Amino acid sequence: MAVKDYLRERFFPHLWCPGCGHGMVLNGLVQAIEKLGVSRNEIVMVSGIGCSSRITGYVDFHTLHTIHGRALAFATGVKMSRPELTLIVPMGDGDALAIGGNHFIHAARRNIDMTAIVMNNRIYGMTGGQFSPLSGENVSATTAPYLTIDPSFDVVELSKAAGATYVARTTTYHIKQMQDIIRQAILHEGFSVVEILSQCPTYFGRKNKAGSAVDMVKWYKKNTTPIGSKAKKENPELVERGIFVQEERPEYCKQYEKIVQTAMKG
Amino acid sequence: MSDNVKFVQGNEACVEAALYAGLDFYAGYPITPSSEITEGLSYRLPQIGGKFIQMEDEIASLCAIIGASLTGSKVMTATSGPGFSLMQEALGYAIMAEIPCVIVDVQRGGPSTGLPTQGSQGDVNQARWGTHGDHAIIALTASNHQDVFAVTVEAFNLAETYRTPVVLLFDEIVAHMRERLVIPEPGEIPLVGRLRTSVKEGVDYHPYLPREDGRLPMSDFGGVHRYNVTGLFHDMWGFPSSEPQIVHGLLRHLVDKLENRVNQLAWFKEYYLEDAEHLLISYGSAARSARHVVEKRRLRGERLGFLELQTLWPFPTDIVRDKCAHVKSVIVVELNMGQILQAVKLAVDQPEKVFLVNRIDGVFITPTDILNLLRLIQGKGV
Ligand SMILES: Cc1ncc(C[n+]2csc(CCOP(=O)(O)OP(=O)(O)O)c2C)c(N)n1
Ligand code: SF4
């Protein structure tokens, strides 16, 4: 099937600003799914609220656009009742890790089979540029006129500690890597986290003098490096990209199947 | 006792009824006085191949059952006041996206952590108005275990019929009291299953286009129709829209589908209304004492009548007005500061003849409590 067959063209043009990274994530995601060849009827995409979460409207799967921060909880209900379905849960950084942080760590702990994609633009785009728990320190935001003092979560470390069995990071510059990482995340049986650094030129960019969308994407190129690279050793400031965790652990729905078997024996 | 006669708590009656109604999926978070429902279903559901999950909080519990409902499952969650407060945003989502689900609130004393182990009926207005924005809601209640069973099954039927969340407002007293329950034979109470679309694969399916009878056939997630579900105002495809005409039409639809059927949705019981001079109105555990008083006083020839409400929302305004038309006084008996009292006052022609008999101290209202106030209202002094 062609990539365009995965999109709901009826609902285009999309509402993202020109140069927004979220459109590039949509592109990478659809390419990855196209390569996997999963039937559209078997994919359920669940999102919360935010610019990032509007992605569900544009893809031709079963799509559930829910409330802010709770996408993983809705997805857990879908997956538990129909474990054979493929669950993909794109979220904004605020959506996933501020209001949704609790659901995030518990979904990881359970190792329920779904792919969580954190579209990290380090800002609240939809509400107009307030800081997020991933902004980090010294960032300018509409709620940080004196710059942020809040330290950031490290999505990778947090996911590992919470028990995610697949953890990866990439950026909107590294489209090929993004496709590959998403594809493997979907194939992985268990809770997968993919963090994608995704630019918000409108708010983060403008507020922090990060330049145009193109400049921001180039920043990802310059300031990230493959996991364990020589460059990282020389410059610890660089952000690592790649697959950090990929391991086997019993998956939640499979475990529940055992409970059903035990209970049915009586 | 035969197998289908049981001596159980109200919470267990609710569990039995949910299973009778075809519950497939339950998500919950423990809280007194509802935990027996969560515990009971963790044991019973997997025995019939159903699914149980203990979520990280009540927000997640309601979200999870909404997700499960979209795959075609019959779903429920249970909680008490603090958890019900947490659920309000997702409750509005289920209303907006028209997802069948059943939410049990076993009421305890509030506000806040309040009186965790004692009864109250303080969440009546929260069930009506707890979530933001204009909307309509169905809330049912019961005073004894046979009725807990009946309204629980009805809640599932109404959820499917109207594609709506239904709230079951029980209280700690009924929930923890033990009494006889006869479980009906299969088929004895008709069950409403999921209405699924007959639109064939490849033909455009409109998840939010009501049929002529107002019902909206669904299509299971994972099935052949792929569509969007959202809490934003949306068009017939489920795609977000802020078109004034669409917004107006959807809100009217959400409210009218229930408010236009108030009489049809109204469950109530009436006793001695024909010649009643004074009418007691009550519901839930408080109705047990109210009815007792009426039965006793009737033996002495006092012309008391009794109306037990089982549907609290949408409030059966016309029915209540009608029943109150010819009595001298109306006495509302409830375990709060007059939440149904207000609805009754709005319903009747002479609000000045409506009185409240209540307790708000966590103690079950006794027939003596009611009698004391009744004498005052009847002008007999204490
Ligand atoms: C309960 C609740 N609180 C707050 C909001 C307002 N709100 C909408 S989106 C959002 C944050 C968006 O930021 P993010 O999740 O990072 O996604 P982005 O828009 O940047 O893609 C907020 C605070 C809401 N919709 N619901
Ligand atoms: S505000 Fe930012 S995140 Fe939202 S669409 Fe515009 S660029 Fe993208």
Side-chain angles (χ1 to χ4, degrees):
Chain A
M1 237 179 338
V3 162
K4 73 166 189 24
D5 294 328
Y6 291 90
L7 299 174
R8 290 179 174 143
E9 287 180 323
R10 180 194 280 157
F11 302 128
F12 280 75
H14 59 65
L15 53 59
W16 295 311
C17 309
C20 175
H22 296 346
M24 299 160 88
V25 175
L26 169 62
N27 194 25
L29 180 64
V30 170
Q31 304 260 6
I33 292 169
E34 195 258 339
K35 286 219 178 69
L36 280 172
V38 189
S39 150
R40 290 174 300 180
N41 286 346
E42 284 162 28
I43 298 179
V44 180
M45 194 180 278
V46 187
S47 67
I49 296 292
C51 295
S52 36
S53 289
R54 295 301 282 265
I55 196 169
T56 40
Y58 305 121
V59 289
D60 193 8
F61 308 126
H62 304 281
T63 57
L64 183 53
H65 178 240
T66 67
I67 53 180
H68 192 33
R70 319 297 174 192
L72 288 168
F74 283 87
T76 297
V78 175
K79 182 71 185 179
M80 269 288 275
S81 53
R82 291 285 302 274
E84 69 278 16
L85 298 176
T86 298
L87 270 290
I88 303 172
V89 189
M91 294 170 286
D93 41 304
D95 200 40
L97 289 165
I99 191 163
N102 199 31
H103 311 304
F104 188 90
I105 57 176
H106 286 278
R109 174 180 61 80
R110 291 187 190 104
N111 196 34
I112 188 162
D113 183 22
M114 55 182 65
T115 300
I117 299 176
V118 182
M119 297 156 78
N120 180 8
N121 56 17
R122 302 177 61 196
I123 203 89
Y124 286 178
M126 176 126 279
T127 43
Q130 300 82 10
F131 70 90
S132 98
L134 296 182
S135 296
E137 287 161 77
N138 295 315
V139 164
S140 172
T142 55
T143 46
Y146 307 106
L147 303 185
T148 47
I149 55 168
D150 290 45
S152 170
F153 276 134
D154 180 326
V155 181
V156 169
E157 293 304 323
L158 180 72
S159 307
K160 278 203 251 178
T165 47
Y166 179 101
V167 181
R169 181 191 286 132
T170 184
T171 87
T172 50
Y173 176 82
H174 304 90
I175 286 286
K176 271 258 155 317
Q177 183 186 42
M178 188 201 299
Q179 285 172 25
D180 183 51
I181 277 180
I182 294 176
R183 192 177 54 80
Q184 293 197 55
I186 294 171
L187 285 174
H188 176 78
E189 192 186 54
F191 191 73
S192 306
V193 178
V194 178
E195 179 188 11
I196 304 176
L197 307 185
S198 170
Q199 73 280 7
C200 168
T202 303
Y203 293 111
F204 190 93
R206 225 183 267 162
K207 279 249 146 212
N208 290 283
K209 306 200 170 48
S212 67
V214 176
D215 296 328
M216 293 178 81
V217 175
K218 280 190 184 147
W219 189 94
Y220 293 146
K221 176 180 184 228
K222 248 180 75 194
N223 292 280
T224 63
T225 183
I227 297 170
S229 69
K230 214 172 118 220
K232 173 75 183 175
K233 280 179 202 117
E234 285 158 11
N235 179 6
E237 294 287 290
L238 293 179
V239 178
E240 286 175 300
R241 294 181 279 110
I243 300 169
F244 294 82
V245 178
Q246 195 164 16
E247 64 187 31
E248 299 292 316
R249 188 156 68 80
E251 192 275 331
Y252 193 77
C253 299
K254 289 265 160 70
Q255 293 291 89
Y256 194 79
E257 271 308 306
K258 291 186 195 158
I259 288 192
V260 170
Q261 278 167 19
T262 311
M264 279 181 152
K265 272 191 221 127
Chain B
M1 278 197 290
S2 88
D3 243 15
N4 57 350
V5 180
K6 298 193 184 288
F7 189 72
V8 292
Q9 290 191 344
N11 280 341
E12 293 171 87
C14 177
V15 166
E16 295 294 343
L19 294 169
Y20 183 96
L23 178 71
D24 301 296
F25 184 96
Y26 180 96
Y29 188 82
I31 184 168
T32 306
S34 74
S35 294
E36 295 82 5
I37 298 176
T38 303
E39 289 164 351
L41 287 166
S42 73
Y43 181 70
R44 298 284 297 278
L45 267 175
Q47 293 178 335
I48 53 164
K51 305 283 169 74
F52 167 91
I53 185 168
Q54 180 169 315
M55 293 301 286
E56 51 273 19
D57 59 29
E58 291 85 348
I59 301 173
S61 301
L62 182 48
C63 295
I65 69 166
I66 293 170
S69 181
L70 275 163
T71 69
S73 299
K74 283 195 174 182
V75 301
M76 182 169 95
T77 185
T79 187
S80 185
F84 193 48
S85 291
L86 288 181
M87 287 179 181
Q88 294 304 320
E89 188 192 9
L91 175 60
Y93 183 87
I95 291 171
M96 182 61 124
E98 301 187 73
I99 315 290
C101 55
V102 175
I103 301 156
V104 184
D105 173 12
V106 184
Q107 297 165 92
R108 63 192 226 180
S112 190
T113 311
L115 286 170
T117 59
Q118 284 161 273
S120 154
Q121 295 174 323
D123 304 350
V124 170
N125 278 337
Q126 184 185 24
R128 176 63 190 91
W129 295 112
T131 197
H132 59 278
D134 282 310
H135 61 276
I137 190 87
I138 301 175
L140 310 177
T141 186
S143 62
N144 62 73
H145 294 10
Q146 210 58 51
D147 286 353
V148 166
F149 193 99
V151 300
T152 301
V153 174
E154 179 68 358
F156 281 90
N157 286 348
L158 294 175
E160 293 295 337
T161 305
Y162 299 109
R163 281 192 64 167
T164 182
V166 175
V167 179
L168 286 170
L169 273 181
F170 298 137
D171 58 63
E172 187 278 334
I173 296 151
V174 170
H176 283 164
M177 181 176 75
R178 283 188 183 274
E179 94 186 348
R180 202 175 113 104
L181 171 73
V182 184
I183 298 181
E185 292 300 326
E188 212 175 310
I189 306 179
L191 302 180
V192 178
R194 181 66 48 97
L195 177 67
R196 293 187 170 85
T197 180
S198 56
V199 172
K200 298 269 173 324
E201 178 167 14
V203 180
D204 209 0
Y205 160 66
H206 301 109
Y208 292 100
L209 184 66
R211 296 197 308 202
E212 250 169 44
D213 62 0
R215 291 188 68 184
L216 293 118
M218 298 183 76
S219 176
D220 296 347
F221 267 31
V224 296
H225 298 295
R226 300 176 301 276
Y227 59 96
N228 191 52
V229 177
T230 179
L232 288 163
F233 277 93
H234 48 269
D235 61 19
M236 63 185 178
W237 287 283
F239 200 75
S241 171
S242 52
E243 195 85 35
Q245 220 182 326
I246 287 177
V247 172
H248 180 96
L250 177 53
L251 188 53
R252 278 252 64 109
H253 160 74
L254 294 177
V255 171
D256 290 350
K257 73 176 179 181
L258 301 182
E259 296 289 346
N260 287 351
R261 294 187 171 86
V262 176
N263 292 352
Q264 212 174 313
L265 294 169
W267 275 37
F268 61 90
K269 292 179 174 179
E270 55 178 88
Y271 305 85
Y272 313 113
L273 253 53
E274 316 72 41
D275 63 345
E277 281 184 351
H278 301 280
L279 172 65
L280 274 68
I281 299 182
S282 190
Y283 55 94
S285 63
R288 299 175 74 93
S289 293
R291 183 173 166 201
H292 184 83
V293 166
V294 172
E295 300 283 2
K296 280 271 177 288
R297 294 279 139 165
R298 271 279 160 184
L299 294 178
R300 297 202 200 166
E302 284 185 32
R303 281 154 66 180
L304 296 184
F306 179 49
L307 178 64
E308 178 181 346
L309 300 177
Q310 294 176 290
T311 303
L312 297 182
W313 308 116
F315 192 73
T317 304
D318 292 345
I319 291 168
V320 169
R321 180 188 300 117
D322 193 44
K323 308 283 179 206
C324 294
H326 305 294
V327 298
K328 286 190 190 151
S329 72
V330 179
I331 298 109
V332 179
V333 183
E334 53 186 338
L335 298 178
N336 58 47
M337 296 177 83
Q339 300 192 18
I340 284 298
L341 174 86
Q342 293 306 330
V344 173
K345 282 192 172 210
L346 282 175
V348 299
D349 295 324
Q350 295 165 279
E352 66 281 2
K353 72 176 184 188
V354 184
F355 301 90
L356 174 65
V357 170
N358 70 345
R359 272 193 94 131
I360 53 162
D361 55 359
V363 179
F364 179 52
I365 195 161
T366 62
T368 315
D369 295 327
I370 299 174
L371 276 172
N372 287 343
L373 284 148
L374 194 60
R375 291 173 66 85
L376 279 177
I377 292 161
Q378 287 173 317
K380 294 181 185 167
V382 188

